[in-house]
């Protein structure tokens, strides 16, 4: 992956000229670091309900770890259909991850 800003495909541009993507598609894209190392996929997005913006994404690393990544740290490349983050693989491999709440828990 090159370090140039993403140039979104035309079908991913809204009427105001802003890039958009569905969460369904976003969750299917592979996540890699700048060295091209596979980090996993996005498991979920956390939305700020009062602002209607994505606060952070949950990265599913390997099978047993989840990490919160600020949405602003995701470089979404729609031409390559992938997500890139500038974080070393070892940060995730050596980290403990986060405890995810159980669905339906109050």
């Amino acid at each position: 992956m090159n370090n140039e800003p993403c140039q979104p495909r035309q079908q991913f541009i809204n009427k105001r000229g802003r890039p958009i993507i569905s969460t369904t598609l976003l969750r299917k894209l592979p996540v890699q670091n700048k060295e091209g190392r596979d980090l996993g996929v996005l498991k979920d997005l956390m939305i700020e309900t009062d602002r209607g913006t994505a606060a952070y994404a949950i990265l599913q690393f390997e099978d047993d770890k989840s990490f919160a990544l600020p949405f602003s740290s995701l470089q979404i490349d729609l031409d390559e259909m992938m997500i890139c983050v500038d974080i070393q693989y070892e940060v995730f491999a050596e980290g403990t991850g986060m405890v995810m709440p159980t669905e339906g828990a109050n």
Side-chain angles (χ1 to χ4, degrees):
M1 177 174 179
N2 61 32
N3 291 332
E4 296 178 23
C6 300
Q7 297 298 320
R9 296 177 182 178
Q10 189 62 36
Q11 66 265 31
F12 295 113
I13 303 294
N14 69 11
K15 292 180 181 180
R16 292 181 284 168
R18 307 272 309 175
I20 57 173
I21 189 169
S22 74
T23 56
T24 302
L25 179 57
L26 191 66
R27 291 178 59 195
K28 293 178 182 178
L29 299 181
V31 179
Q32 295 182 351
N33 65 9
K34 297 250 184 208
E35 290 76 38
R37 194 95 186 255
D38 185 37
L39 301 175
V41 295
L42 297 184
K43 182 176 181 177
D44 216 339
L45 291 177
M46 304 308 288
I47 307 295
E48 292 180 5
T49 57
D50 60 335
R51 296 177 53 195
T53 58
Y56 60 95
I58 307 296
L59 172 72
Q60 180 70 47
F61 178 79
E62 298 179 345
D63 289 331
D64 60 343
K65 295 181 187 178
S66 296
F67 294 89
L69 301 175
F71 195 78
S72 61
S73 72
L74 306 179
Q75 185 178 24
I76 302 166
D77 187 332
L78 296 176
D79 288 327
E80 297 293 325
M81 296 305 286
M82 64 167 294
I83 299 168
C84 184
V85 294
D86 190 13
I87 303 174
Q88 297 294 318
Y89 178 88
E90 291 76 22
V91 170
F92 301 109
E94 296 170 10
T96 58
M98 60 187 272
V99 177
M100 294 296 294
T102 310
E103 278 192 46
N106 292 330

PDB file of all heavy atoms in Angstrom, residues 17-30:
ATOM      1  N   GLY A  17     -20.116  15.301  -2.233  1.00  0.00           N
ATOM      2  CA  GLY A  17     -18.731  15.050  -2.619  1.00  0.00           C
ATOM      3  C   GLY A  17     -17.892  14.410  -1.534  1.00  0.00           C
ATOM      4  O   GLY A  17     -16.678  14.355  -1.633  1.00  0.00           O
ATOM      5  N   ARG A  18     -18.530  13.907  -0.480  1.00  0.00           N
ATOM      6  CA  ARG A  18     -17.812  13.293   0.641  1.00  0.00           C
ATOM      7  C   ARG A  18     -17.789  11.776   0.467  1.00  0.00           C
ATOM      8  O   ARG A  18     -18.783  11.180   0.064  1.00  0.00           O
ATOM      9  CB  ARG A  18     -18.502  13.646   1.959  1.00  0.00           C
ATOM     10  CG  ARG A  18     -18.737  15.122   2.191  1.00  0.00           C
ATOM     11  CD  ARG A  18     -17.625  15.811   2.841  1.00  0.00           C
ATOM     12  NE  ARG A  18     -17.228  15.080   4.041  1.00  0.00           N
ATOM     13  CZ  ARG A  18     -16.201  15.425   4.767  1.00  0.00           C
ATOM     14  NH1 ARG A  18     -15.493  16.455   4.458  1.00  0.00           N
ATOM     15  NH2 ARG A  18     -15.878  14.732   5.819  1.00  0.00           N
ATOM     16  N   PRO A  19     -16.660  11.130   0.786  1.00  0.00           N
ATOM     17  CA  PRO A  19     -16.597   9.666   0.692  1.00  0.00           C
ATOM     18  C   PRO A  19     -17.479   9.007   1.754  1.00  0.00           C
ATOM     19  O   PRO A  19     -17.547   9.474   2.886  1.00  0.00           O
ATOM     20  CB  PRO A  19     -15.121   9.342   0.924  1.00  0.00           C
ATOM     21  CG  PRO A  19     -14.534  10.551   1.550  1.00  0.00           C
ATOM     22  CD  PRO A  19     -15.395  11.722   1.197  1.00  0.00           C
ATOM     23  N   ILE A  20     -18.167   7.939   1.361  1.00  0.00           N
ATOM     24  CA  ILE A  20     -19.025   7.178   2.273  1.00  0.00           C
ATOM     25  C   ILE A  20     -18.792   5.684   2.050  1.00  0.00           C
ATOM     26  O   ILE A  20     -18.296   5.271   1.007  1.00  0.00           O
ATOM     27  CB  ILE A  20     -20.527   7.496   2.081  1.00  0.00           C
ATOM     28  CG1 ILE A  20     -20.959   7.230   0.639  1.00  0.00           C
ATOM     29  CG2 ILE A  20     -20.829   8.937   2.464  1.00  0.00           C
ATOM     30  CD1 ILE A  20     -22.452   7.355   0.405  1.00  0.00           C
ATOM     31  N   ILE A  21     -19.154   4.889   3.074  1.00  0.00           N
ATOM     32  CA  ILE A  21     -19.061   3.431   2.960  1.00  0.00           C
ATOM     33  C   ILE A  21     -20.067   2.830   3.929  1.00  0.00           C
ATOM     34  O   ILE A  21     -20.327   3.380   4.999  1.00  0.00           O
ATOM     35  CB  ILE A  21     -17.626   2.934   3.267  1.00  0.00           C
ATOM     36  CG1 ILE A  21     -17.478   1.452   2.929  1.00  0.00           C
ATOM     37  CG2 ILE A  21     -17.232   3.233   4.702  1.00  0.00           C
ATOM     38  CD1 ILE A  21     -16.041   0.965   2.947  1.00  0.00           C
ATOM     39  N   SER A  22     -20.655   1.717   3.562  1.00  0.00           N
ATOM     40  CA  SER A  22     -21.597   1.049   4.458  1.00  0.00           C
ATOM     41  C   SER A  22     -20.831   0.293   5.535  1.00  0.00           C
ATOM     42  O   SER A  22     -19.697  -0.151   5.315  1.00  0.00           O
ATOM     43  CB  SER A  22     -22.490   0.080   3.678  1.00  0.00           C
ATOM     44  OG  SER A  22     -21.763  -1.079   3.314  1.00  0.00           O
ATOM     45  N   THR A  23     -21.434   0.142   6.693  1.00  0.00           N
ATOM     46  CA  THR A  23     -20.781  -0.620   7.760  1.00  0.00           C
ATOM     47  C   THR A  23     -20.653  -2.091   7.370  1.00  0.00           C
ATOM     48  O   THR A  23     -19.693  -2.744   7.759  1.00  0.00           O
ATOM     49  CB  THR A  23     -21.546  -0.494   9.090  1.00  0.00           C
ATOM     50  OG1 THR A  23     -22.903  -0.902   8.891  1.00  0.00           O
ATOM     51  CG2 THR A  23     -21.503   0.926   9.607  1.00  0.00           C
ATOM     52  N   THR A  24     -21.602  -2.590   6.591  1.00  0.00           N
ATOM     53  CA  THR A  24     -21.535  -3.979   6.134  1.00  0.00           C
ATOM     54  C   THR A  24     -20.261  -4.207   5.328  1.00  0.00           C
ATOM     55  O   THR A  24     -19.521  -5.172   5.564  1.00  0.00           O
ATOM     56  CB  THR A  24     -22.768  -4.333   5.293  1.00  0.00           C
ATOM     57  OG1 THR A  24     -23.941  -4.116   6.075  1.00  0.00           O
ATOM     58  CG2 THR A  24     -22.726  -5.771   4.812  1.00  0.00           C
ATOM     59  N   LEU A  25     -19.974  -3.315   4.389  1.00  0.00           N
ATOM     60  CA  LEU A  25     -18.773  -3.442   3.575  1.00  0.00           C
ATOM     61  C   LEU A  25     -17.521  -3.178   4.409  1.00  0.00           C
ATOM     62  O   LEU A  25     -16.526  -3.900   4.304  1.00  0.00           O
ATOM     63  CB  LEU A  25     -18.823  -2.478   2.390  1.00  0.00           C
ATOM     64  CG  LEU A  25     -17.616  -2.491   1.458  1.00  0.00           C
ATOM     65  CD1 LEU A  25     -17.377  -3.892   0.892  1.00  0.00           C
ATOM     66  CD2 LEU A  25     -17.810  -1.492   0.343  1.00  0.00           C
ATOM     67  N   LEU A  26     -17.576  -2.171   5.257  1.00  0.00           N
ATOM     68  CA  LEU A  26     -16.424  -1.816   6.091  1.00  0.00           C
ATOM     69  C   LEU A  26     -15.966  -3.001   6.938  1.00  0.00           C
ATOM     70  O   LEU A  26     -14.775  -3.253   7.087  1.00  0.00           O
ATOM     71  CB  LEU A  26     -16.783  -0.636   6.984  1.00  0.00           C
ATOM     72  CG  LEU A  26     -15.653   0.034   7.736  1.00  0.00           C
ATOM     73  CD1 LEU A  26     -14.685   0.701   6.767  1.00  0.00           C
ATOM     74  CD2 LEU A  26     -16.205   1.068   8.700  1.00  0.00           C
ATOM     75  N   ARG A  27     -16.912  -3.750   7.481  1.00  0.00           N
ATOM     76  CA  ARG A  27     -16.570  -4.888   8.346  1.00  0.00           C
ATOM     77  C   ARG A  27     -15.994  -6.064   7.575  1.00  0.00           C
ATOM     78  O   ARG A  27     -15.450  -6.988   8.171  1.00  0.00           O
ATOM     79  CB  ARG A  27     -17.795  -5.313   9.142  1.00  0.00           C
ATOM     80  CG  ARG A  27     -18.168  -4.264  10.183  1.00  0.00           C
ATOM     81  CD  ARG A  27     -19.397  -4.626  10.946  1.00  0.00           C
ATOM     82  NE  ARG A  27     -19.199  -5.895  11.628  1.00  0.00           N
ATOM     83  CZ  ARG A  27     -20.192  -6.601  12.137  1.00  0.00           C
ATOM     84  NH1 ARG A  27     -21.424  -6.178  12.046  1.00  0.00           N
ATOM     85  NH2 ARG A  27     -19.947  -7.733  12.750  1.00  0.00           N
ATOM     86  N   LYS A  28     -16.086  -6.050   6.257  1.00  0.00           N
ATOM     87  CA  LYS A  28     -15.536  -7.137   5.442  1.00  0.00           C
ATOM     88  C   LYS A  28     -14.124  -6.848   4.958  1.00  0.00           C
ATOM     89  O   LYS A  28     -13.440  -7.735   4.466  1.00  0.00           O
ATOM     90  CB  LYS A  28     -16.436  -7.386   4.228  1.00  0.00           C
ATOM     91  CG  LYS A  28     -17.791  -7.938   4.588  1.00  0.00           C
ATOM     92  CD  LYS A  28     -18.644  -8.118   3.357  1.00  0.00           C
ATOM     93  CE  LYS A  28     -20.026  -8.617   3.735  1.00  0.00           C
ATOM     94  NZ  LYS A  28     -20.891  -8.760   2.561  1.00  0.00           N
ATOM     95  N   LEU A  29     -13.687  -5.595   5.084  1.00  0.00           N
ATOM     96  CA  LEU A  29     -12.370  -5.225   4.572  1.00  0.00           C
ATOM     97  C   LEU A  29     -11.254  -5.706   5.496  1.00  0.00           C
ATOM     98  O   LEU A  29     -11.359  -5.584   6.710  1.00  0.00           O
ATOM     99  CB  LEU A  29     -12.273  -3.699   4.424  1.00  0.00           C
ATOM    100  CG  LEU A  29     -13.244  -3.036   3.468  1.00  0.00           C
ATOM    101  CD1 LEU A  29     -12.994  -1.529   3.440  1.00  0.00           C
ATOM    102  CD2 LEU A  29     -13.142  -3.625   2.080  1.00  0.00           C
ATOM    103  N   PRO A  30     -10.173  -6.233   4.936  1.00  0.00           N
ATOM    104  CA  PRO A  30      -9.039  -6.625   5.772  1.00  0.00           C
ATOM    105  C   PRO A  30      -8.348  -5.387   6.338  1.00  0.00           C
ATOM    106  O   PRO A  30      -8.298  -4.342   5.694  1.00  0.00           O
ATOM    107  CB  PRO A  30      -8.125  -7.376   4.803  1.00  0.00           C
ATOM    108  CG  PRO A  30      -8.477  -6.851   3.456  1.00  0.00           C
ATOM    109  CD  PRO A  30      -9.934  -6.481   3.517  1.00  0.00           C
TER     110      PRO A  30
END
